[in-house]
Amino acid sequence: MDAPREVWGDLATTAFVESSLLFRSLDPDALRDLVQLARAVDAAAGETVSAEGDDGFYLMMDGRAEVLAGGEALGQLERGACFGEGRVLGGARPAALVARTAVTAVAFPAPMVAAMAERFPRLRKLLEAARAAREKAAHGA
C-alpha cells in the first residue's frame, strides 16, 4: 500500500468529499476542517486498507473492497460507501477493510468524524443508517 497523501489541495478528491451524501450537511468551516485532516489511501487488490485495530473512518472513492470481521465477509463497498461508522458511533465490532480491486479511499480520523456527528445530526443519522444496514447484511436478514 502506498503512503497516504494529503487531500487538502487535491481538487478532485476535495470535490468528491464535498459532494458525498454523508458530508453535504456540514457547514463550509466544518467541511474545510475535515478535508484538512483527510488522507487519500491507495491499495492494490488483496491489500488491507484498514486493519481491525485502526481508528480511521473511510469513504470509498474508487475500486471495490470487502469488510471482514473475524475472517467473515460482511459486505462489499464501492464508490461513495463508507467504512468505520462503528468506530465513529462507538460499540464497533472489530472489522477490517480489504481491497478486492485497486482502491482509493479517503481516510479521516474517526474522533474528528465523531465530533462532526455530534454537531450535525444529519451526519449522525446517515452513519447510524449505514451501521444498521451493515449489521442487517451481516446477519443475512
Side-chain angles (χ1 to χ4, degrees):
M1 188 160 73
D2 295 337
R5 62 189 188 286
E6 285 189 21
V7 168
W8 188 248
D10 177 339
L11 296 179
T13 306
T14 298
F16 171 73
V17 172
E18 290 174 346
S19 69
S20 76
L21 178 63
L22 273 177
F23 298 129
R24 276 190 220 151
S25 65
L26 302 183
D27 66 38
D29 290 338
L31 191 55
R32 184 193 65 241
D33 291 346
L34 194 63
V35 171
Q36 285 179 333
L37 293 175
R39 299 289 176 263
V41 177
D42 295 309
E47 290 183 327
T48 299
V49 178
S50 174
E52 286 190 8
D54 187 357
D55 72 344
F57 176 82
Y58 295 81
L59 183 62
M60 292 286 295
M61 189 165 164
D62 289 307
R64 190 169 37 89
E66 188 169 38
V67 177
L68 300 171
E72 175 188 355
L74 300 182
Q76 300 274 329
L77 302 183
E78 294 182 350
R79 184 178 175 86
C82 66
F83 173 76
E85 64 280 350
R87 297 169 180 169
V88 170
L89 298 171
R93 174 181 177 184
L97 186 63
V98 177
R100 292 300 173 222
T101 66
V103 162
T104 299
V106 182
F108 307 90
M112 174 70 163
V113 179
M116 294 291 176
E118 290 302 313
R119 286 180 53 205
F120 298 93
R122 178 166 165 72
L123 173 57
R124 174 171 276 291
K125 285 182 180 162
L126 290 168
L127 292 170
E128 288 169 349
R131 179 169 60 182
R134 185 151 6 260
E135 288 173 358
K136 183 177 179 181
H139 298 313

